[in-house]
Amino acid sequence: MSVHPTTMELEAFAQGNLPPQLFRKVARHLFRGCTPCNALLLPHYQHLLPSCPSSEPQTYGTGVSNELLDRLFSAFLSYRRYLRREETRQHRIAALLKAGGGLKALLERPEIPLRGLGTLKALLERSWAVRHEAPQEMLALARYAVDVARDLNPRWHDEREIADWQARTWGEYGNALRAREDLDEAERAFGYAFGFLLQGTGDLRLKAKLYNLHASYLGSRRRFDLAFTALDIVHSTYLELGESHLAGRAFIIKAIYTFYDHHPEEAIEINNAGMALIERQREPELFFTAIHNQLAFRVACGQFREARNEVFGHLGEFKNLGSVNQLKIRWLQAQIDSGLRKWHSAEQGFMHAISGFEKEGMGFHAAFASLELALVWMHQDRYEETQQLVIKAYEAFVALQIQEAFGAMMVLKEAFERQLGTIGLLEEVVEFLRRWYINQNERFTPRG
């Protein structure tokens, strides 16, 4: 083959779909040492040459026998059948996991061997899918995936590929431990993940994923400087891969941690940089999160006019949001009106938000907005109404078992019951809850 294979031929070669004669031509081209073609395809066939004296195809020169090529073709066909079997296994296990019972139910079915690439992919996908509603299941699935990755068949997966999968599974397991707040064990798991990453293929997507998960762990540890560095690595790696959307996502997360670190003005700049990169239609929820956080950051900075201008700039997009997200935007608009001392508009906005949150069963949001409404009433010298609303909000926080707010709410309730409540104290509690709403590591310490 005097010219390079076409893109379609290279893809078919990697998938084992070429007829024998054309397969031989492409293989000979690779073995002659074509650097760009080998860079693309070597990971697909290097581990299928156990009987060859070297893993570097260019050392074969032109003297590659038909016998060797036939063995390689046969290995490709076997590998293709293996992948098909594993794909079938993946779908079967994924369906069983989705049907309920979790890992325990699977382990009680010995006719379904939990091994191989298909099992591994199904476990990881399910672990990620249940991360919000079932953190214990997430943890169990990720831990079992670690063992499956370790035992991948070396006939089909070389050492570097197995190292990649071990890095991936230890990273997912570390993230599951972080979600369960077992931070010491999470640190150990991430140590294993990065160790295997160094032994792997150098896959940039895997690198970006691990650094992204590790940044979440570092954020939980409040090691913000390290988290920022990790997210910068994620950002630059995705830019290198041409994935500007994912690079933007990393900056949006970095903006949140920057806010946690009490730098809201800097958070606004970083969030803006992230928003400039993300594709709104690709991940609408991420776009909403970025807009919502941008407004919250501006409110925290007292940039109420700028926040109002941004709301007006996105009004058309807000119409396409779901009902809950629209409520959250309406709530932020009320906060902006309150900051601009537009008491009537703020009162109407908070009352609308409170009513909507109550209908949606969002008790915390309703109770928090009630305190903000109470602050609006205090500015209008409506003390008795404020007193009643503060007591009602206190009872709501107690019923919701939001323990981080108990101290602040007890101080506030006691003060208003004794006719000692002030605008300043109410503002302190509202500002604390506003910070806690974004960063639940915040704690209340009254001034004075």
Side-chain angles (χ1 to χ4, degrees), residues 393-424:
Y394 165 81
E395 292 171 349
F397 277 104
V398 171
L400 291 165
Q401 291 292 303
I402 302 176
Q403 296 178 351
E404 294 85 353
F406 281 1
M409 292 306 302
M410 289 181 70
V411 169
L412 190 65
K413 169 182 170 288
E414 190 76 14
F416 273 91
E417 283 183 337
R418 294 174 180 271
Q419 306 292 315
L420 298 174
T422 63
I423 288 178

Side-chain angles (χ1 to χ4, degrees), residues 48 80 84 108 132 156 176 181 214 217 268 271 282 289 295 325-326 350 359 381 391 412 414 430 438 448:
L48 299 178
R80 184 181 172 192
R84 286 179 174 174
E108 292 173 352
H132 296 306
W156 306 121
E181 298 185 356
H214 194 232
Y217 160 77
I268 291 171
N271 198 63
R282 176 173 171 179
T289 297
L295 295 173
N325 285 341
Q326 287 185 356
F350 285 129
K359 288 179 181 177
D381 297 321
I391 294 172
L412 190 65
E414 190 76 14
V430 167
I438 296 180

Side-chain angles (χ1 to χ4, degrees), residues 124-415:
L124 290 175
E125 287 176 2
R126 182 62 180 172
S127 176
W128 185 256
V130 300
R131 65 191 183 280
H132 296 306
E133 67 268 20
Q136 184 60 38
E137 183 183 355
M138 174 194 186
L139 183 67
L141 292 167
R143 183 63 189 88
Y144 202 87
V146 168
D147 294 334
V148 176
R150 180 195 60 208
D151 295 332
L152 284 174
N153 191 334
R155 178 185 178 188
W156 306 121
H157 308 278
D158 67 10
E159 291 181 358
R160 296 176 69 199
E161 185 185 358
I162 292 175
D164 278 356
W165 281 111
Q166 288 181 290
R168 167 84 183 274
T169 53
W170 276 107
E172 297 282 5
Y173 180 51
N175 187 54
L177 288 165
R178 175 202 62 81
R180 291 293 307 279
E181 298 185 356
D182 191 348
L183 298 183
D184 290 338
E185 282 300 307
E187 185 168 25
R188 174 175 168 271
F190 278 115
Y192 279 118
F194 284 111
F196 282 117
L197 180 68
L198 293 174
Q199 300 173 34
T201 64
D203 186 291
L204 290 179
R205 292 184 183 277
L206 175 60
K207 173 185 173 182
K209 184 174 184 64
L210 283 184
Y211 273 92
N212 197 33
L213 294 176
H214 194 232
S216 297
Y217 160 77
L218 293 169
S220 298
R221 285 286 199 190
R222 302 186 69 78
R223 299 174 185 170
F224 292 123
D225 286 346
L226 290 174
F228 298 152
T229 302
L231 288 167
D232 285 341
I233 292 171
V234 175
H235 176 264
S236 61
T237 302
Y238 278 129
L239 286 180
E240 185 179 347
L241 289 166
E243 289 279 7
S244 59
H245 174 81
L246 297 177
R249 170 188 263 276
F251 263 15
I252 288 168
I253 297 170
K254 183 181 178 181
I256 296 172
Y257 288 149
T258 303
F259 182 82
Y260 289 0
D261 202 27
H262 306 291
H263 297 289
E265 294 88 354
E266 187 179 348
I268 291 171
E269 295 180 7
I270 296 170
N271 198 63
N272 269 329
M275 288 176 61
L277 292 171
I278 63 173
E279 303 166 22
R280 302 178 184 184
Q281 302 305 318
R282 176 173 171 179
E283 204 171 352
E285 193 64 28
L286 176 63
F287 176 68
F288 169 75
T289 297
I291 290 292
H292 178 274
N293 287 346
Q294 187 79 339
L295 295 173
F297 298 158
R298 290 202 184 281
V299 167
C301 292
Q303 298 179 6
F304 300 111
R305 294 189 185 281
E306 293 87 345
R308 182 185 61 180
N309 292 338
E310 287 203 21
V311 169
F312 287 144
H314 293 287
L315 281 177
E317 291 156 327
F318 292 154
K319 293 178 182 178
N320 300 321
L321 298 174
S323 59
V324 171
N325 285 341
Q326 287 185 356
L327 277 173
K328 289 180 179 180
I329 293 298
R330 188 68 185 91
W331 184 23
L332 276 168
Q333 285 179 288
Q335 292 175 353
I336 293 165
D337 286 335
S338 178
L340 293 171
R341 305 181 73 82
K342 295 184 176 182
W343 305 127
H344 178 71
S345 298
E347 178 179 356
Q348 295 299 312
F350 285 129
M351 292 180 72
H352 175 85
I354 292 165
S355 175
F357 288 142
E358 288 175 343
K359 288 179 181 177
E360 294 288 345
M362 300 170 68
F364 166 78
H365 296 76
F368 182 8
S370 295
L371 288 180
E372 293 178 306
L373 175 59
L375 185 56
V376 170
W377 286 350
M378 279 290 283
H379 280 287
Q380 296 174 297
D381 297 321
R382 296 159 65 176
Y383 193 90
E384 290 185 3
E385 292 173 277
T386 301
Q387 184 184 49
Q388 294 172 9
L389 195 54
V390 164
I391 294 172
K392 181 181 177 182
Y394 165 81
E395 292 171 349
F397 277 104
V398 171
L400 291 165
Q401 291 292 303
I402 302 176
Q403 296 178 351
E404 294 85 353
F406 281 1
M409 292 306 302
M410 289 181 70
V411 169
L412 190 65
K413 169 182 170 288
E414 190 76 14

Side-chain angles (χ1 to χ4, degrees), residues 80-143:
R80 184 181 172 192
R81 287 194 291 268
Y82 164 74
L83 292 179
R84 286 179 174 174
R85 288 196 304 271
E86 292 306 311
E87 185 176 0
T88 300
R89 191 200 304 265
Q90 178 183 350
H91 292 321
R92 185 183 183 191
I93 292 177
L96 291 170
L97 287 170
K98 191 174 182 180
L103 179 62
K104 183 179 179 181
L106 274 182
L107 293 174
E108 292 173 352
R109 300 185 61 169
E111 76 277 12
I112 305 175
L114 296 183
R115 62 174 183 266
L117 187 61
T119 297
L120 180 56
K121 289 182 176 180
L123 292 172
L124 290 175
E125 287 176 2
R126 182 62 180 172
S127 176
W128 185 256
V130 300
R131 65 191 183 280
H132 296 306
E133 67 268 20
Q136 184 60 38
E137 183 183 355
M138 174 194 186
L139 183 67
L141 292 167
R143 183 63 189 88

